[in-house]
């Protein structure tokens, strides 16, 4: 007869303590939580910059120069209005995300997706800037979609 007990199903079989699994779970949730906070900050900045981009398009028609022809042509005033409205929504959503509002995560994915589409359609007017903003939007969508809520967090 052996004096060693069989390991139970919830414990590691390599002789270590169970705190290792807890620490590695905390580490990944820390990365995801940090990514969500960073996504909130990016949404705030993205929204503020989109509002400024829209104001520049509304105020002066010579700020942006269109490169070639494009299927999705709007006037710069129309693009300015789109960017101001969308930028304000993105800004409010970023603020809600930093305040850990329940609606902000889903709304963040939606407005970041709309921002990505708007920046794609705005490519002929500001190609480099639009590509940078599209990359930021993709990161925001990834960070918000990859967060998994802790089931014990909702219980009090």
């Amino acid at each position: 007869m052996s004096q060693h007990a069989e390991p139970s199903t919830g414990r590691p079989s390599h002789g270590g303590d169970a705190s290792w699994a807890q620490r590695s779970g905390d580490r990944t949730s820390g990365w995801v939580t940090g990514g969500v906070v960073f996504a909130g900050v990016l949404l705030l900045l993205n929204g503020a910059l989109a509002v400024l981009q829209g104001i520049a398009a509304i105020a002066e028609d010579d700020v942006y120069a269109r490169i070639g022809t494009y299927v999705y042509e709007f006037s710069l005033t129309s693009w300015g209005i789109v960017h101001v409205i969308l930028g304000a929504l993105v800004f409010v959503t970023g603020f809600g995300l930093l305040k850990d509002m329940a609606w902000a995560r889903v709304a963040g994915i939606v407005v970041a997706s709309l921002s990505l589409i708007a920046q794609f359609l705005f490519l002929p007017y500001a190609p480099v800037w639009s590509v940078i903003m599209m990359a930021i939007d993709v990161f925001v969508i990834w960070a918000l979609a990859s967060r998994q809520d802790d089931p014990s967090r909702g219980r009090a």
Side-chain angles (χ1 to χ4, degrees):
M1 290 215 132
S2 172
Q3 296 206 3
H4 293 27
E6 290 285 325
S8 66
T9 56
R11 300 177 62 196
S13 61
H14 53 76
D17 61 347
S19 65
W20 178 83
Q22 181 66 27
R23 282 193 308 261
S24 68
D26 288 347
R27 189 176 312 144
T28 55
S29 69
W31 275 98
V32 172
T33 304
V36 170
V37 171
F38 188 57
V41 171
L42 286 179
L43 281 176
L44 280 175
L45 293 174
N46 191 350
L49 292 173
V51 168
L52 294 175
Q53 185 179 14
I55 290 171
I58 292 171
E60 296 287 331
D61 280 347
D62 58 351
V63 173
Y64 297 109
R66 186 178 43 205
I67 301 171
T69 59
Y70 199 57
V71 175
Y72 309 106
E73 287 187 33
F74 291 135
S75 69
L76 276 175
T77 304
S78 300
W79 275 120
I81 292 169
V82 167
H83 282 300
V84 167
I85 292 170
L86 191 58
L89 289 173
V90 169
F91 186 85
V92 168
T93 304
F95 185 75
L97 194 63
L98 290 178
K99 290 290 188 180
D100 203 20
M101 300 286 186
W103 55 269
R105 199 169 118 213
V106 173
I109 293 172
V110 170
V111 296
S113 300
L114 290 174
S115 175
L116 187 128
I117 292 168
Q119 291 297 333
F120 174 76
L121 295 175
F122 198 68
L123 270 169
Y125 298 98
V128 175
W129 181 252
S130 291
V131 169
I132 291 169
M133 296 301 283
M134 287 166 55
I136 290 172
D137 288 332
V138 167
F139 173 77
V140 167
I141 293 168
W142 170 81
L144 295 178
S146 66
R147 179 178 179 185
Q148 296 177 355
D149 287 332
D150 186 14
S152 64
R153 183 177 168 217
R155 299 179 190 149

